[in-house]
């Protein structure tokens, strides 16, 4: 994997000083740190507790990157002020990736909204005080396209209305955090902001802790989703999400802009299962082969909160544009089929999924 990271436009002469990454213990953050180190960036990462540094090192090693000499750690939690000033001190750019993304929604939405929104403001405030040039924030398509439009076509011009009926807490946390970030820079200035809005992120995993998105693939491969909801979503590769952050960090035209990160046309759960079946015939029996109808979903959503999102979307097929990232930042994401296959292969390689063919 390291060779692949280097082949994607690496330079031995970083155009930034020390880069601070939040959320490095996570899926996107782990890939982000590996890529930065492989390109020779001095990289500081925040972890919530000092003992968590080993987790980041394990992710970086798994990516095949051996530049730990460039890695520094700082301790800070999005929910508290402590540590952010020290984390940002001497930093030229911040990649603010961290945000709570639990597999199961919490009972109280503030558990997500407060760390996402107030944590973002803590990061921005510390960064501005430290004289950081630019912050790139990982937002989400959740902040763009969850207030359904009649034509179902979405670009960076679109915003999810946080008051949308039935909007899940995670989506609300992302839209409120991104709004707060733009308000911060527009009101007070003094720092550049660029935002990346990825759709569902898939692609190789680097460790046993799985992001909410990747649990879908594991669940499908292990027979945990015998029937799937009728729902279409965008897919983007984690390596391309990282690549887009780096372009947004460096490109002069990225300041003040948001960029949708999407690898291709939206796919359905069943379409994802078909791709997996074609790639891994040994998983055929475990993989879902049918989907709920809309009526079945609406009925099931009455007792199953996890289906409310899908039922509310009513089988729509969102058309999500990557034109801006492609044209402004020359971003070229890989094919969605490859991303789905690589997700599965990495889960198997790490022993997180074992395929058992029926005799
Ligand atoms: P992940 O693997 O769950 O990582 C989340 C990261 O955020 C972890 O490092 C976590 O740290 C950190 N974090 C959460 N709460 C925190 C807090 N209170 N203080 C400090 N750090 C905290 O999820 P991911 O997929 O990598 O997500 C990374 C970013 O991408 C998030 O902003 C997410 O909203 C966004 N995103 C993800 C997807 C997707 O499909 N995966 C799609 C669009 C956008 P701990 O290890 O300490 O918990």
């Amino acid at each position: 994997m390291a060779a692949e990271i280097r082949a994607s436009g690496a330079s031995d002469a970083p155009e930034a000083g020390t880069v601070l990454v939040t959320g490095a213990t996570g899926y996107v953050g782990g890939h982000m740190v590996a890529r930065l180190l492989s390109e020779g960036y001095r990289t500081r990462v925040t972890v919530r507790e000092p003992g968590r540094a080993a987790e980041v090192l394990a992710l970086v090693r798994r990516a095949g990157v051996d530049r730990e000499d460039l890695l520094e750690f700082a301790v800070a939690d999005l929910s508290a002020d402590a540590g952010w000033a020290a984390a940002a001190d001497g930093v030229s750019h911040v990649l603010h990736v961290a945000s709570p993304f639990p597999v199961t929604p919490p009972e109280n939405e503030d558990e997500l909204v407060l760390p996402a929104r107030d944590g973002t403001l803590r990061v921005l405030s510390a960064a501005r005080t430290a004289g950081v040039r630019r912050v790139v924030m990982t937002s989400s398509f959740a902040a763009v396209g969850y207030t359904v439009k009649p034509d179902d076509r979405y670009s960076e011009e679109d915003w999810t209305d946080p008051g949308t009926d039935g909007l899940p807490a995670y989506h609300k946390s992302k839209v409120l955090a991104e709004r707060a970030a733009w308000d911060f820079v527009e009101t007070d200035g003094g720092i550049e902001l660029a935002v990346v809005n990825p759709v569902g992120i898939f692609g190789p995993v680097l460790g046993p802790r799985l992001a909410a998105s990747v649990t879908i693939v594991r669940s499908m491969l292990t027979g945990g989703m015998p029937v799937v909801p009728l729902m279409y979503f965008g897919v983007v590769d984690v390596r391309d999400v990282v690549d887009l952050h780096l372009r947004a960090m460096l490109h002069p035209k990225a300041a003040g802009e948001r960029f949708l990160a999407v690898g291709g046309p939206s796919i359905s759960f069943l379409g994802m299962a078909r791709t997996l079946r074609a790639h891994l015939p040994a998983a055929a029996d475990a993989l879902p082969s049918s989907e709920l109808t809309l009526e079945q979903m609406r009925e099931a959503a009455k007792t199953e909160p996890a289906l409310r999102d899908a039922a509310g979307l009513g089988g729509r097929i969102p058309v999500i544009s990557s034109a801006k990232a492609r044209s402004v930042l020359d971003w070229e994401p890989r094919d969605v089929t490859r991303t789905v296959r690589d997700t599965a292969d990495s889960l198997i390689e790490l022993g997180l999924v074992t395929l058992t063919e029926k005799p």
Side-chain angles (χ1 to χ4, degrees):
M1 193 176 299
E4 188 175 348
I5 289 170
R6 289 198 184 92
S8 54
S11 130
D12 285 325
E15 296 163 57
T18 298
V19 179
L20 177 68
V21 180
T22 68
T25 49
Y27 179 41
V28 176
H31 276 277
M32 193 87 77
V33 174
R35 169 82 186 262
L36 287 166
L37 294 177
S38 77
E39 294 203 11
Y41 287 100
R42 180 155 287 286
T43 306
R44 186 179 301 160
V45 308
T46 56
V47 286
R48 288 206 245 186
E49 298 95 21
R52 310 281 305 280
E55 281 175 47
V56 180
L57 286 171
L59 297 176
V60 167
R61 284 178 194 148
R62 174 74 206 162
V65 176
D66 60 359
R67 294 302 311 269
E68 286 157 28
D69 55 306
L70 293 172
L71 190 56
E72 303 169 6
F73 291 92
V75 178
D77 189 306
L78 293 175
S79 300
D81 292 337
W84 288 109
D89 187 41
V91 162
S92 69
H93 295 77
V94 175
L95 300 174
H96 175 41
V97 180
S99 209
F101 189 17
V103 176
T104 319
E107 277 183 23
N108 181 350
E109 66 181 24
D110 280 352
E111 286 178 39
L112 305 187
V113 170
L114 296 184
R117 185 195 59 203
D118 300 353
T120 295
L121 293 175
R122 288 186 172 100
V123 171
L124 281 166
S125 177
R128 187 176 55 198
T129 304
V132 166
R133 238 175 284 162
R134 186 179 295 176
V135 173
V136 181
M137 173 187 181
T138 317
S139 182
S140 171
F141 180 66
V144 176
Y146 277 80
T147 303
V148 177
K149 290 169 68 186
D151 65 356
D152 254 332
R153 303 182 83 84
Y154 300 92
S155 74
E156 289 80 359
E157 300 297 313
D158 295 305
W159 278 91
T160 298
D161 177 349
T164 301
D165 200 27
L167 189 69
Y170 168 73
H171 298 58
K172 193 168 179 182
S173 76
K174 295 304 287 181
V175 69
L176 292 178
E178 193 191 330
R179 280 251 184 244
W182 286 118
D183 286 348
F184 179 96
V185 294
E186 278 156 23
T187 307
D188 301 320
I191 192 160
E192 292 179 351
L193 176 68
V195 170
V196 174
N197 299 78
V199 293
I201 305 175
F202 297 85
V205 299
L206 297 176
R209 196 186 101 170
L210 300 185
S213 47
V214 176
T215 59
I216 295 170
V217 176
R218 183 185 56 184
S219 199
M220 283 190 182
L221 289 170
T222 53
M225 286 176 89
V227 184
V228 285
L230 167 63
M231 185 177 172
Y232 286 79
F233 51 93
V235 169
V236 65
D237 196 291
V238 64
R239 296 160 290 190
D240 296 325
V241 170
V242 167
D243 184 66
L244 186 52
H245 278 74
L246 263 62
R247 289 171 191 270
M249 176 174 93
L250 298 174
H251 201 292
K253 288 190 177 157
E257 301 290 343
R258 59 202 307 236
F259 296 94
L260 276 166
V262 54
S266 297
I267 63 169
S268 64
F269 281 110
L270 204 55
M272 180 176 262
R274 278 193 210 105
T275 299
L276 290 168
R277 186 174 285 106
H279 181 52
L280 297 167
D285 292 334
L287 286 163
S289 54
S290 64
E291 63 189 1
L292 295 170
T293 64
L294 263 182
E295 284 86 86
Q296 287 169 328
M297 279 179 7
R298 286 190 188 120
E299 198 48 42
K302 288 179 189 163
T303 50
E304 180 46 76
L307 277 176
R308 269 177 215 151
D309 185 22
L313 297 174
R316 73 190 179 117
I317 305 178
V319 179
I320 307 163
S321 172
S322 60
K324 184 172 169 184
R326 288 175 188 270
S327 65
V328 178
L329 302 181
D330 289 330
W331 182 65
E332 279 186 34
R334 69 204 76 199
D335 180 64
V336 165
T337 302
R338 180 167 162 212
T339 299
V340 172
R341 288 181 189 158
D342 287 356
T343 316
D345 288 347
S346 71
L347 287 169
I348 294 166
E349 213 180 297
L350 281 175
L352 302 171
V353 165
T354 309
L355 300 184
T356 43
E357 243 169 319
K358 273 194 190 157

